């Protein structure tokens, strides 16, 4: 939104930092996962599976379009 960008650019308000490593209320443990566990979890999440597939299909489509543009020059 160009209007919002303009307002932000012209703003002289002080921004208070809200996110920083020091503000974490409790330490989070690292998630350890093997490939089989990851694949099972991924298959259990229909939205994640579909969005990943959609992204890959769009990426391939865009790559083909780019290659056609480059070959026609």
């Amino acid at each position: 939104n160009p209007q919002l960008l303009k307002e932000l650019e012209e703003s002289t308000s002080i921004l208070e930092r809200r996110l920083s490593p020091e503000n974490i209320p409790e330490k989070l443990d690292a998630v350890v996962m093997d490939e089989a566990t990851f694949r099972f979890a991924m298959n259990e999440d229909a939205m994640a599976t579909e969005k990943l597939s959609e992204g890959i299909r769009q990426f391939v489509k865009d790559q083909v379009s780019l290659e056609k543009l480059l070959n026609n020059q």
Side-chain angles (χ1 to χ4, degrees), residues 10-61:
E10 294 172 353
S11 175
T12 57
S13 300
I14 295 174
L15 294 176
E16 179 184 336
R17 183 173 181 171
R18 298 283 179 117
L19 300 175
S20 73
E22 295 81 29
N23 292 340
I24 297 174
E26 62 187 56
K27 185 176 182 208
L28 302 175
D29 294 329
V31 176
V32 179
M33 186 180 298
D34 62 8
E35 183 178 352
T37 304
F38 171 81
R39 288 183 181 273
F40 182 80
M42 185 70 173
N43 285 328
E44 288 294 299
D45 188 335
M47 184 176 71
T49 301
E50 179 54 34
K51 287 297 183 183
L52 176 61
S53 297
E54 180 184 324
I56 291 169
R57 287 190 299 270
Q58 187 61 48
F59 183 85
V60 170
K61 181 180 168 188

Side-chain angles (χ1 to χ4, degrees), residues 58-73:
Q58 187 61 48
F59 183 85
V60 170
K61 181 180 168 188
D62 290 343
Q63 180 179 353
V64 169
S65 296
L66 178 59
E67 288 174 359
K68 284 180 182 178
L69 285 170
L70 292 173
N71 286 331
N72 288 333
Q73 287 186 357

